[in-house]
Amino acid sequence: MPHPSNRSAIELFLRRLRSHSTLNEEERAEILRLSAIPLDIKAHTDFVRLGETVDHACLVTEGLVGRFGQTEDGKRQFVSVHVPGEMVDLPSVMMPQSATALNTLTRTSIVRIPHKALRDVGFRHPAIAAAFWRVCVLDAGIVAQWLVNVGRRDARSRMAHLFCELAVRYRLMDQSDGISFELPMTQDQLADALGLTAVHTNRMLQTLRGEGLLSITRSRVEILDKVALETAAEFDPGYLLPKSPD
Amino acid sequence: MPHPSNRSAIELFLRRLRSHSTLNEEERAEILRLSAIPLDIKAHTDFVRLGETVDHACLVTEGLVGRFGQTEDGKRQFVSVHVPGEMVDLPSVMMPQSATALNTLTRTSIVRIPHKALRDVGFRHPAIAAAFWRVCVLDAGIVAQWLVNVGRRDARSRMAHLFCELAVRYRLMDQSDGISFELPMTQDQLADALGLTAVHTNRMLQTLRGEGLLSITRSRVEILDKVALETAAEFDPGYLLPKSPD
DNA sequence: CGGTCGGTTGAAAGCCTTCAAACGGTGTGG
DNA sequence: CCACACCGTTTGAAGGCTTTCAACCGACCG
């Protein structure tokens, strides 16, 4: 598979910014001019540890990155997963010592953007700073929905909700028609995103398949009955689609 | 009980800002000059509904405010609770249509600060905008920890974690010595914060009491064995105490 | 070809929920 | 001043969703 250039990753990121924030031509140019150091990381690698202090943010070019917390006995909980075009740890610009760690769910390419560059460009252009802030707020809203999901929905509904959300997020990045999309996650990883065990994740997956709601293989999800899936999930995409750009 | 003035609520908020962000004298004065419309709300009131668009942010003066999501059958999950001195929905400045609702856990006084005022002051003073952004990042980090808590810890540990966190947060607001603090939450509300049922919340509370870890009445928590409680919770306050102010 | 990884399956155990009922404190009205 | 109602807490028993433990399978890799 051809490797998207770093350039295109930043363009994707800019597109996402513009979907909810207004940026003039100069501001857009500034974003595209950000220095971006590419880096390929193999699957299942913790490339930012808990408590580590970082001086750059990561933008996903290809693959999938998960942010997670961990209990002392090693159980993990993904707090978010990030698809290409998303900045994984933009919050780290404001809080360089993170209480969450980063892990590649599959072989992944990222570009690293220095905090200093992000701060500088935000300082020069308040509209950019506002856009960054807004992205953080949006991402935090997703985490909040995950919390509702894990706290108050049963496994089947919870799982349906995750797939509905990811379908929308891939579509927003033009990497899906909203029906099917690449999702290179193992069932262990799905379990860690849903607050379940891998065994039960497997069984629920089979339930959803058996009900004809979706078809899923190791790396691809296809939604077969969107209405039924969204009903099962009680899914409302409002939190992913901000109303107005100011 | 004497009613703290609005002034002192904003002062408390400013103090929190300064604990992690550097603001010069003029910037501090700007914060204190923000217009603040006081409002008293009775207990158990949803004063911001799901999907509602707001044009002001709420700062808690006295009492306790919870932000929550809800499933279709009415089950609630608190996504955060906010003590006096905290801005409940600063993110709403960037995202006026919230996917979470607001509820008073007890009789509560707030002040409402217009989004426009917050945006203007942030636009004029990049350092203030950065401070606001940083608060949002910190709060999002707390939500992330809650997600880890609900997703991967059992009820006892989860509950211990919540009390450890609140002890620190009250202490940061100088409303506690870190050992005991006012917590006017019912067990139903605790349950909604922990992703449990009220019945099981009650039983776990008794467990913690029985183990001599804490003493809790309707409105006050006292930590009796801090070390044991933090051990049970696997509590690490790092996510509440940012390293450096820039 | 053996080894590893991810997926699948079965059975038993357990944590938590659900359903129901009773208890105690507080505020209100007669 | 007492009675009653309401709210939040407490307790018991039963059931269920999810976990845990174990084993097996298939695919891919060196």
Side-chain angles (χ1 to χ4, degrees):
Chain A
M1 173 178 352
H3 199 95
S5 71
N6 307 333
R7 170 88 188 183
S8 80
I10 295 203
E11 276 168 358
L12 216 49
F13 174 64
L14 175 58
R15 265 251 317 280
R16 190 191 174 203
L17 286 184
R18 295 185 63 195
S19 76
H20 50 69
S21 297
T22 307
L23 298 173
N24 67 30
E25 188 144 357
E26 191 192 337
E27 288 152 356
R28 299 199 294 263
E30 285 270 31
I31 300 278
L32 293 174
R33 219 178 293 135
L34 284 168
S35 85
I37 303 121
L39 190 60
D40 284 12
I41 310 175
K42 72 176 203 283
H44 315 301
T45 306
D46 295 350
F47 65 101
V48 173
R49 305 277 159 76
L50 215 108
E52 191 174 326
T53 302
V54 296
D55 60 1
H56 57 268
C58 303
L59 169 56
V60 182
T61 301
E62 195 186 341
L64 218 45
V65 171
R67 208 155 53 87
F68 67 94
Q70 205 165 15
T71 62
E72 280 173 14
D73 61 346
K75 281 190 299 222
R76 288 188 173 190
Q77 174 67 49
F78 282 110
V79 138
S80 63
V81 302
H82 294 274
V83 308
E86 294 184 347
M87 192 85 83
V88 178
D89 54 353
L90 193 51
S92 71
V93 173
M94 283 294 121
M95 191 106 316
Q97 188 179 17
S98 172
T100 51
L102 262 33
N103 173 281
T104 52
L105 302 191
T106 183
R107 189 147 48 76
T108 295
S109 304
I110 62 172
V111 295
R112 313 203 309 172
I113 303 176
H115 284 170
K116 182 167 175 6
L118 291 165
R119 262 196 295 263
D120 286 353
V121 74
F123 197 85
R124 285 200 306 278
H125 301 279
I128 292 182
F132 286 170
W133 180 5
R134 187 172 283 116
V135 174
C136 286
V137 167
L138 251 173
D139 283 349
I142 296 177
V143 178
Q145 291 300 322
W146 280 35
L147 177 53
V148 175
N149 213 23
V150 171
R152 288 301 185 210
R153 279 194 248 269
D154 65 18
R156 174 173 167 275
S157 176
R158 207 185 290 185
M159 176 168 272
H161 200 278
L162 178 63
F163 290 131
C164 288
E165 178 187 306
L166 287 173
V168 171
R169 287 171 61 191
Y170 273 107
R171 182 162 54 71
L172 292 179
M173 290 303 183
D174 271 349
Q175 293 182 311
S176 159
D177 51 5
I179 296 302
S180 82
F181 49 93
E182 295 297 322
L183 188 71
M185 284 177 80
T186 66
Q187 295 184 0
D188 285 83
Q189 292 165 341
L190 271 176
D192 286 342
L194 295 168
L196 298 170
T197 59
V199 171
H200 201 59
T201 297
N202 177 288
R203 293 198 234 265
M204 289 301 106
L205 236 23
Q206 291 178 56
T207 300
L208 292 182
R209 278 196 282 244
E211 295 173 323
L213 300 195
L214 54 76
S215 136
I216 179 170
T217 66
R218 170 78 75 80
S219 62
R220 176 158 270 274
V221 173
E222 184 175 358
I223 296 175
L224 299 177
D225 187 339
K226 188 163 193 166
V227 174
L229 190 68
E230 293 187 343
T231 302
E234 301 185 351
F235 183 68
D236 173 357
Y239 67 104
L240 298 170
L241 311 164
K243 222 27 173 317
S244 67
D246 273 354
Chain B
M1 174 178 352
H3 199 96
S5 71
N6 307 331
R7 172 85 188 186
S8 80
I10 294 202
E11 276 168 0
L12 216 49
F13 174 63
L14 176 57
R15 266 253 315 280
R16 190 190 175 203
L17 286 184
R18 294 184 63 194
S19 77
H20 50 68
S21 296
T22 306
L23 298 173
N24 67 31
E25 189 145 354
E26 190 192 338
E27 288 152 357
R28 299 198 295 263
E30 285 270 30
I31 301 277
L32 293 175
R33 217 178 291 136
L34 284 168
S35 84
I37 303 121
L39 190 60
D40 283 12
I41 311 175
K42 71 175 203 283
H44 315 302
T45 306
D46 297 351
F47 64 100
V48 172
R49 306 275 158 76
L50 217 109
E52 190 176 324
T53 301
V54 295
D55 60 1
H56 57 268
C58 303
L59 170 56
V60 181
T61 301
E62 195 187 342
L64 218 45
V65 171
R67 208 155 53 86
F68 67 94
Q70 205 164 15
T71 62
E72 280 172 15
D73 60 348
K75 283 190 297 223
R76 288 188 171 189
Q77 174 67 50
F78 282 111
V79 138
S80 62
V81 301
H82 295 274
V83 307
E86 294 183 347
M87 191 86 83
V88 178
D89 54 353
L90 193 51
S92 71
V93 173
M94 283 294 121
M95 191 106 317
Q97 189 178 18
S98 172
T100 50
L102 261 34
N103 173 280
T104 52
L105 302 191
T106 183
R107 189 148 48 76
T108 295
S109 304
I110 62 171
V111 294
R112 313 203 308 171
I113 304 177
H115 284 170
K116 183 169 175 3
L118 292 165
R119 262 196 295 264
D120 286 353
V121 74
F123 197 85
R124 284 200 307 277
H125 301 280
I128 292 183
F132 286 170
W133 179 4
R134 187 173 284 118
V135 174
C136 286
V137 167
L138 252 173
D139 283 349
I142 296 177
V143 178
Q145 292 300 323
W146 280 34
L147 177 52
V148 175
N149 212 23
V150 171
R152 288 300 186 211
R153 279 195 248 267
D154 65 19
R156 172 173 168 276
S157 175
R158 209 185 287 183
M159 176 169 275
H161 201 278
L162 179 62
F163 290 130
C164 288
E165 179 188 305
L166 287 173
V168 171
R169 287 171 60 192
Y170 273 106
R171 183 162 53 72
L172 291 179
M173 290 302 181
D174 270 349
Q175 294 183 307
S176 158
D177 51 5
I179 296 302
S180 82
F181 50 92
E182 296 296 322
L183 188 70
M185 285 177 78
T186 66
Q187 294 184 3
D188 284 85
Q189 292 165 342
L190 271 176
D192 286 343
L194 295 168
L196 298 170
T197 58
V199 171
H200 201 61
T201 297
N202 178 286
R203 293 199 233 264
M204 288 303 107
L205 236 22
Q206 291 179 57
T207 300
L208 292 182
R209 278 195 282 243
E211 294 174 324
L213 300 195
L214 54 77
S215 137
I216 179 171
T217 66
R218 172 78 75 81
S219 61
R220 177 158 270 273
V221 173
E222 183 175 359
I223 296 175
L224 299 177
D225 188 338
K226 189 161 191 166
V227 174
L229 190 68
E230 293 188 341
T231 302
E234 299 184 353
F235 183 68
D236 174 357
Y239 68 105
L240 298 170
L241 310 164
K243 225 19 172 324
S244 67
D246 272 354

Coordinates of all heavy atoms in Angstrom, one line a residue, chain B residues 7-76:
Chain B
R7 N -17.4 37.5 44.1 CA -16.0 37.9 44.1 C -15.1 36.8 44.5 O -14.1 36.4 43.8 CB -15.8 39.1 45.0 CG -14.4 39.6 45.2 CD -13.9 40.5 44.1 NE -12.5 40.8 44.2 CZ -11.9 41.6 43.4 NH1 -12.6 42.3 42.5 NH2 -10.6 41.9 43.5
S8 N -15.4 36.2 45.6 CA -14.5 35.2 46.2 C -14.5 33.9 45.3 O -13.5 33.2 45.2 CB -14.8 34.8 47.6 OG -15.9 34.0 47.6
A9 N -15.6 33.7 44.6 CA -15.6 32.5 43.7 C -14.6 32.7 42.6 O -13.9 31.8 42.2 CB -17.0 32.3 43.2
I10 N -14.6 33.9 42.0 CA -13.7 34.2 40.9 C -12.3 34.2 41.4 O -11.4 33.8 40.7 CB -14.1 35.6 40.2 CG1 -15.5 35.4 39.6 CG2 -13.1 35.9 39.2 CD1 -15.7 36.4 38.5
E11 N -12.1 34.7 42.6 CA -10.8 34.7 43.2 C -10.2 33.3 43.3 O -9.1 33.0 43.0 CB -10.7 35.4 44.5 CG -10.6 36.9 44.4 CD -10.9 37.6 45.7 OE1 -11.2 36.9 46.7 OE2 -10.8 38.9 45.8
L12 N -11.1 32.4 43.7 CA -10.8 31.0 43.9 C -10.4 30.4 42.5 O -9.4 29.7 42.4 CB -11.9 30.2 44.5 CG -11.7 29.1 45.4 CD1 -10.7 29.5 46.5 CD2 -13.0 28.6 46.0
F13 N -11.2 30.8 41.5 CA -10.9 30.3 40.2 C -9.6 30.8 39.7 O -8.8 30.1 39.1 CB -12.1 30.8 39.3 CG -11.8 30.5 37.8 CD1 -11.8 29.2 37.3 CD2 -11.7 31.5 36.9 CE1 -11.6 28.9 36.0 CE2 -11.5 31.3 35.5 CZ -11.4 29.9 35.1
L14 N -9.3 32.1 39.9 CA -8.1 32.7 39.5 C -6.9 32.0 40.2 O -5.9 31.7 39.6 CB -8.0 34.2 39.9 CG -6.7 34.9 39.6 CD1 -6.3 34.8 38.1 CD2 -6.8 36.4 40.0
R15 N -7.1 31.7 41.5 CA -6.0 30.9 42.2 C -5.7 29.6 41.5 O -4.6 29.2 41.4 CB -6.5 30.7 43.6 CG -6.0 31.8 44.6 CD -4.9 31.2 45.5 NE -5.3 29.9 45.9 CZ -6.2 29.6 46.9 NH1 -6.7 30.6 47.6 NH2 -6.5 28.4 47.2
R16 N -6.8 29.0 41.1 CA -6.6 27.7 40.5 C -5.8 27.9 39.2 O -4.9 27.1 38.9 CB -7.9 26.9 40.2 CG -7.6 25.5 39.7 CD -8.8 24.8 39.2 NE -8.4 23.5 38.7 CZ -9.1 22.8 37.8 NH1 -10.3 23.3 37.3 NH2 -8.7 21.6 37.4
L17 N -6.2 28.9 38.4 CA -5.5 29.2 37.2 C -4.0 29.4 37.4 O -3.1 28.8 36.7 CB -6.0 30.4 36.5 CG -7.4 30.3 35.8 CD1 -7.7 31.6 35.1 CD2 -7.4 29.2 34.8
R18 N -3.7 30.2 38.5 CA -2.3 30.5 38.8 C -1.5 29.4 39.3 O -0.3 29.4 39.2 CB -2.3 31.7 39.8 CG -2.9 33.0 39.2 CD -2.7 34.1 40.2 NE -1.3 34.4 40.4 CZ -0.9 35.1 41.4 NH1 -1.8 35.7 42.3 NH2 0.4 35.4 41.6
S19 N -2.2 28.3 39.7 CA -1.5 27.2 40.2 C -0.8 26.4 39.1 O 0.1 25.6 39.3 CB -2.4 26.3 41.0 OG -3.2 25.5 40.2
H20 N -1.3 26.7 37.9 CA -0.6 26.0 36.8 C -0.3 26.9 35.6 O 0.3 26.4 34.6 CB -1.5 24.8 36.3 CG -2.9 25.1 36.1 ND1 -3.3 25.9 35.0 CD2 -4.0 24.7 36.7 CE1 -4.6 26.0 35.1 NE2 -5.1 25.3 36.1
S21 N -0.7 28.1 35.6 CA -0.4 29.0 34.5 C 0.1 30.4 35.1 O -0.3 30.8 36.1 CB -1.7 29.3 33.7 OG -2.1 28.1 33.1
T22 N 1.0 30.9 34.4 CA 1.6 32.2 34.8 C 0.8 33.4 34.2 O 0.6 33.4 33.0 CB 3.1 32.3 34.3 OG1 3.8 31.2 34.8 CG2 3.7 33.6 34.9
L23 N 0.3 34.2 35.1 CA -0.5 35.4 34.6 C 0.1 36.7 35.2 O 0.3 36.7 36.4 CB -1.9 35.2 35.0 CG -2.7 34.0 34.4 CD1 -4.1 33.9 35.0 CD2 -2.8 34.2 32.9
N24 N 0.3 37.7 34.4 CA 0.8 38.9 35.0 C -0.3 39.7 35.7 O -1.5 39.3 35.6 CB 1.6 39.8 34.0 CG 0.6 40.3 32.9 OD1 -0.5 40.5 33.1 ND2 1.2 40.4 31.7
E25 N 0.1 40.8 36.2 CA -0.9 41.6 37.0 C -2.1 42.0 36.2 O -3.2 41.9 36.7 CB -0.2 42.8 37.7 CG -1.0 43.5 38.7 CD -0.2 44.1 39.8 OE1 1.0 43.8 39.8 OE2 -0.7 44.8 40.7
E26 N -1.8 42.5 35.0 CA -3.0 43.0 34.2 C -3.9 41.8 33.9 O -5.1 42.0 33.9 CB -2.4 43.6 32.9 CG -3.5 44.4 32.2 CD -3.0 44.8 30.8 OE1 -1.8 44.8 30.6 OE2 -3.9 45.0 29.9
E27 N -3.3 40.7 33.5 CA -4.1 39.5 33.2 C -5.0 39.1 34.4 O -6.1 38.8 34.2 CB -3.2 38.4 32.7 CG -2.6 38.7 31.3 CD -1.3 38.0 31.1 OE1 -0.7 37.3 32.0 OE2 -0.7 38.1 30.0
R28 N -4.4 39.1 35.5 CA -5.1 38.7 36.7 C -6.3 39.7 37.0 O -7.4 39.3 37.3 CB -4.2 38.7 37.9 CG -3.1 37.7 37.8 CD -2.4 37.4 39.2 NE -1.8 38.5 39.8 CZ -0.5 38.8 39.8 NH1 0.3 37.9 39.1 NH2 0.1 39.8 40.4
A29 N -6.0 41.0 36.7 CA -7.0 42.0 36.9 C -8.2 41.7 35.9 O -9.4 41.9 36.3 CB -6.5 43.4 36.7
E30 N -7.8 41.4 34.7 CA -8.9 41.1 33.7 C -9.8 40.0 34.1 O -11.0 40.1 33.9 CB -8.2 40.7 32.4 CG -7.6 41.9 31.6 CD -8.6 42.5 30.7 OE1 -9.8 42.5 31.0 OE2 -8.1 43.1 29.7
I31 N -9.2 39.0 34.7 CA -10.0 37.8 35.2 C -11.0 38.3 36.2 O -12.2 38.0 36.2 CB -9.1 36.7 35.8 CG1 -8.1 36.2 34.7 CG2 -10.0 35.6 36.3 CD1 -8.6 35.2 33.8
L32 N -10.5 39.1 37.2 CA -11.3 39.5 38.3 C -12.4 40.4 37.8 O -13.4 40.6 38.5 CB -10.5 40.1 39.4 CG -9.5 39.2 40.1 CD1 -8.6 40.0 41.0 CD2 -10.2 38.1 40.8
R33 N -12.2 41.0 36.7 CA -13.1 42.0 36.2 C -14.3 41.4 35.3 O -15.2 42.0 34.9 CB -12.4 43.0 35.3 CG -12.9 44.5 35.4 CD -12.0 45.4 34.5 NE -10.7 45.5 35.0 CZ -9.6 45.5 34.3 NH1 -9.7 45.3 33.0 NH2 -8.4 45.6 34.8
L34 N -14.2 40.1 35.1 CA -15.2 39.4 34.3 C -16.6 39.6 34.9 O -16.7 39.5 36.1 CB -14.8 37.9 34.2 CG -13.7 37.5 33.3 CD1 -13.3 36.1 33.5 CD2 -14.1 37.7 31.8
S35 N -17.5 39.8 34.1 CA -18.9 39.9 34.6 C -19.4 38.6 35.0 O -19.2 37.6 34.4 CB -19.8 40.5 33.5 OG -20.3 39.5 32.7
A36 N -20.1 38.6 36.2 CA -20.5 37.3 36.8 C -21.9 37.5 37.3 O -22.1 38.2 38.3 CB -19.5 36.9 37.9
I37 N -22.8 36.8 36.7 CA -24.2 36.9 37.2 C -24.5 35.8 38.1 O -24.5 34.6 37.7 CB -25.2 36.8 36.0 CG1 -24.8 37.9 35.0 CG2 -26.6 36.9 36.4 CD1 -24.5 37.4 33.6
P38 N -24.8 36.1 39.4 CA -25.0 35.0 40.4 C -26.4 34.4 40.2 O -27.3 34.9 39.6 CB -25.0 35.8 41.7 CG -25.4 37.2 41.3 CD -24.9 37.4 40.0
L39 N -26.5 33.1 40.6 CA -27.7 32.3 40.5 C -27.7 31.2 41.5 O -26.7 30.5 41.7 CB -27.7 31.7 39.0 CG -29.0 31.1 38.6 CD1 -30.1 32.1 38.6 CD2 -28.8 30.5 37.2
D40 N -28.8 31.1 42.2 CA -28.9 30.0 43.2 C -29.9 29.0 42.6 O -30.9 29.3 42.0 CB -29.5 30.6 44.5 CG -28.5 31.3 45.3 OD1 -27.4 31.6 44.8 OD2 -28.8 31.6 46.5
I41 N -29.5 27.7 42.8 CA -30.3 26.7 42.2 C -30.6 25.6 43.2 O -29.6 25.2 44.0 CB -29.6 26.0 41.0 CG1 -29.1 27.1 40.0 CG2 -30.5 25.1 40.3 CD1 -28.3 26.6 38.9
K42 N -31.8 25.1 43.3 CA -32.1 24.1 44.3 C -31.5 22.8 44.0 O -31.1 22.5 42.8 CB -33.5 24.1 44.6 CG -34.4 23.5 43.6 CD -35.9 23.4 44.2 CE -36.7 22.4 43.5 NZ -37.3 22.7 42.2
A43 N -31.5 21.9 44.9 CA -30.8 20.6 44.7 C -31.5 19.8 43.7 O -32.7 20.0 43.4 CB -30.9 19.8 46.1
H44 N -30.8 18.9 43.1 CA -31.3 17.9 42.1 C -32.0 18.6 40.9 O -33.1 18.2 40.5 CB -32.3 17.0 42.8 CG -31.8 16.4 44.1 ND1 -30.6 15.8 44.2 CD2 -32.2 16.5 45.4 CE1 -30.4 15.4 45.5 NE2 -31.4 15.9 46.2
T45 N -31.4 19.6 40.4 CA -32.0 20.3 39.3 C -31.1 20.2 38.0 O -29.9 20.5 38.1 CB -32.2 21.8 39.6 OG1 -33.0 21.9 40.8 CG2 -33.0 22.5 38.5
D46 N -31.7 19.8 36.9 CA -30.9 19.8 35.7 C -31.1 21.2 35.1 O -32.1 21.5 34.5 CB -31.5 18.8 34.7 CG -31.4 17.3 35.2 OD1 -30.7 17.1 36.2 OD2 -32.0 16.5 34.5
F47 N -30.0 22.0 35.3 CA -30.2 23.4 34.9 C -29.5 23.6 33.5 O -29.7 24.7 32.9 CB -29.6 24.3 35.9 CG -28.1 24.2 36.2 CD1 -27.3 25.1 35.6 CD2 -27.7 23.2 37.0 CE1 -25.9 25.0 35.8 CE2 -26.3 23.1 37.3 CZ -25.4 24.0 36.7
V48 N -28.9 22.6 32.9 CA -28.5 22.7 31.5 C -28.9 21.3 30.9 O -28.4 20.3 31.4 CB -27.0 23.0 31.3 CG1 -26.7 22.8 29.8 CG2 -26.7 24.4 31.7
R49 N -29.7 21.3 29.9 CA -30.2 20.0 29.3 C -29.3 19.5 28.2 O -28.5 20.3 27.7 CB -31.6 20.2 28.8 CG -32.6 20.8 29.7 CD -33.2 19.7 30.6 NE -33.8 20.3 31.8 CZ -34.9 21.0 31.9 NH1 -35.7 21.1 30.8 NH2 -35.3 21.5 33.0
L50 N -29.4 18.3 27.9 CA -28.6 17.7 26.8 C -28.9 18.4 25.5 O -30.1 18.5 25.1 CB -29.0 16.2 26.7 CG -27.8 15.3 26.4 CD1 -27.4 14.5 27.6 CD2 -28.1 14.5 25.2
G51 N -27.9 18.8 24.8 CA -28.1 19.4 23.5 C -28.4 20.8 23.5 O -28.4 21.5 22.4
E52 N -28.6 21.4 24.7 CA -28.9 22.8 24.8 C -27.7 23.6 24.4 O -26.6 23.2 24.6 CB -29.3 23.1 26.2 CG -29.9 24.4 26.5 CD -30.3 24.5 28.0 OE1 -30.8 23.5 28.6 OE2 -30.1 25.6 28.6
T53 N -28.0 24.8 23.7 CA -26.9 25.7 23.4 C -26.8 26.8 24.4 O -27.8 27.5 24.7 CB -27.1 26.3 22.0 OG1 -27.2 25.2 21.1 CG2 -26.0 27.2 21.6
V54 N -25.7 27.0 25.0 CA -25.5 28.0 26.1 C -24.6 29.1 25.6 O -23.8 28.9 24.7 CB -24.9 27.3 27.4 CG1 -25.9 26.3 27.9 CG2 -23.6 26.7 27.1
D55 N -24.8 30.3 26.2 CA -23.9 31.4 25.8 C -23.1 31.9 27.0 O -22.7 33.0 27.1 CB -24.8 32.5 25.2 CG -25.8 33.0 26.2 OD1 -25.9 32.5 27.3 OD2 -26.6 33.9 25.8
H56 N -23.0 31.1 28.1 CA -22.3 31.5 29.2 C -21.7 30.2 29.9 O -22.2 29.1 29.7 CB -23.2 32.2 30.2 CG -24.4 31.3 30.6 ND1 -25.6 31.4 29.9 CD2 -24.5 30.4 31.6 CE1 -26.4 30.5 30.5 NE2 -25.8 29.9 31.5
A57 N -20.7 30.4 30.7 CA -20.1 29.3 31.4 C -20.4 29.5 32.9 O -20.7 30.6 33.3 CB -18.6 29.3 31.2
C58 N -20.4 28.4 33.6 CA -20.8 28.4 35.0 C -19.6 28.1 35.9 O -18.9 27.2 35.7 CB -21.9 27.3 35.3 SG -23.3 27.5 34.3
L59 N -19.5 29.0 36.9 CA -18.5 28.8 37.9 C -19.2 28.5 39.2 O -20.1 29.3 39.7 CB -17.7 30.1 38.0 CG -16.7 30.4 39.1 CD1 -15.7 29.2 39.2 CD2 -16.0 31.7 38.9
V60 N -18.8 27.5 39.9 CA -19.4 27.1 41.1 C -19.0 28.0 42.3 O -17.8 28.1 42.5 CB -19.1 25.6 41.5 CG1 -19.9 25.2 42.8 CG2 -19.5 24.7 40.3
T61 N -19.9 28.5 43.0 CA -19.6 29.3 44.2 C -19.7 28.5 45.5 O -18.9 28.6 46.4 CB -20.6 30.5 44.3 OG1 -20.5 31.3 43.1 CG2 -20.3 31.4 45.5
E62 N -20.8 27.7 45.5 CA -21.0 26.9 46.7 C -21.9 25.7 46.3 O -22.8 25.9 45.4 CB -21.8 27.8 47.7 CG -21.8 27.1 49.1 CD -22.6 27.9 50.1 OE1 -22.9 29.1 49.8 OE2 -23.0 27.3 51.1
G63 N -21.6 24.6 46.8 CA -22.4 23.4 46.5 C -21.6 22.5 45.6 O -20.4 22.4 45.7
L64 N -22.3 21.8 44.7 CA -21.7 20.8 43.9 C -22.5 20.6 42.6 O -23.7 20.5 42.6 CB -21.7 19.5 44.6 CG -20.5 18.5 44.6 CD1 -19.2 19.2 44.8 CD2 -20.7 17.4 45.7
V65 N -21.7 20.7 41.4 CA -22.4 20.5 40.2 C -21.9 19.3 39.5 O -20.7 19.0 39.5 CB -22.2 21.7 39.3 CG1 -22.7 21.5 37.8 CG2 -22.9 23.0 39.8
G66 N -22.7 18.5 38.9 CA -22.3 17.3 38.1 C -22.6 17.4 36.6 O -23.7 18.0 36.3
R67 N -21.7 17.0 35.8 CA -21.9 16.9 34.4 C -22.2 15.5 34.0 O -21.4 14.6 34.5 CB -20.6 17.4 33.7 CG -20.8 18.1 32.4 CD -19.7 19.0 32.1 NE -18.4 18.4 32.2 CZ -17.8 17.8 31.2 NH1 -18.4 17.6 30.0 NH2 -16.6 17.2 31.4
F68 N -23.2 15.2 33.2 CA -23.5 13.8 33.0 C -24.1 13.5 31.6 O -24.6 14.4 30.9 CB -24.6 13.4 34.0 CG -25.9 14.0 33.9 CD1 -26.9 13.4 33.1 CD2 -26.2 15.3 34.4 CE1 -28.2 14.0 33.0 CE2 -27.4 15.9 34.3 CZ -28.4 15.3 33.5
G69 N -24.0 12.3 31.2 CA -24.6 11.7 30.0 C -25.7 10.7 30.5 O -25.7 10.3 31.7
Q70 N -26.5 10.3 29.6 CA -27.6 9.5 30.0 C -28.0 8.5 28.9 O -27.8 8.8 27.7 CB -28.8 10.5 30.1 CG -29.9 10.0 31.0 CD -30.8 11.2 31.4 OE1 -30.8 12.3 30.8 NE2 -31.6 11.0 32.4
T71 N -28.4 7.3 29.3 CA -28.9 6.4 28.3 C -30.4 6.6 28.1 O -31.0 7.3 28.9 CB -28.6 4.9 28.7 OG1 -29.4 4.7 29.9 CG2 -27.2 4.7 29.0
E72 N -31.0 5.9 27.1 CA -32.4 6.2 26.8 C -33.3 5.7 27.9 O -34.4 6.2 28.0 CB -32.7 5.5 25.4 CG -32.3 6.3 24.2 CD -32.4 5.6 22.9 OE1 -33.1 4.6 22.9 OE2 -31.8 6.1 21.9
D73 N -32.9 4.7 28.6 CA -33.7 4.2 29.7 C -33.5 5.0 31.0 O -34.0 4.7 32.1 CB -33.6 2.7 30.0 CG -32.1 2.4 30.4 OD1 -31.3 3.3 30.2 OD2 -31.9 1.3 30.8
G74 N -32.8 6.2 30.9 CA -32.7 7.1 32.0 C -31.5 6.9 32.9 O -31.4 7.7 33.8
K75 N -30.7 5.9 32.6 CA -29.5 5.7 33.5 C -28.5 6.8 33.3 O -28.3 7.2 32.1 CB -28.9 4.3 33.3 CG -29.7 3.2 33.9 CD -28.9 1.9 33.9 CE -28.7 1.4 32.5 NZ -28.9 0.0 32.3
R76 N -28.0 7.3 34.4 CA -27.1 8.5 34.3 C -25.7 8.1 34.6 O -25.4 7.2 35.4 CB -27.5 9.6 35.2 CG -28.7 10.3 34.9 CD -29.0 11.5 35.7 NE -30.1 12.2 35.2 CZ -30.5 13.4 35.6 NH1 -29.9 14.0 36.6 NH2 -31.5 14.0 35.0

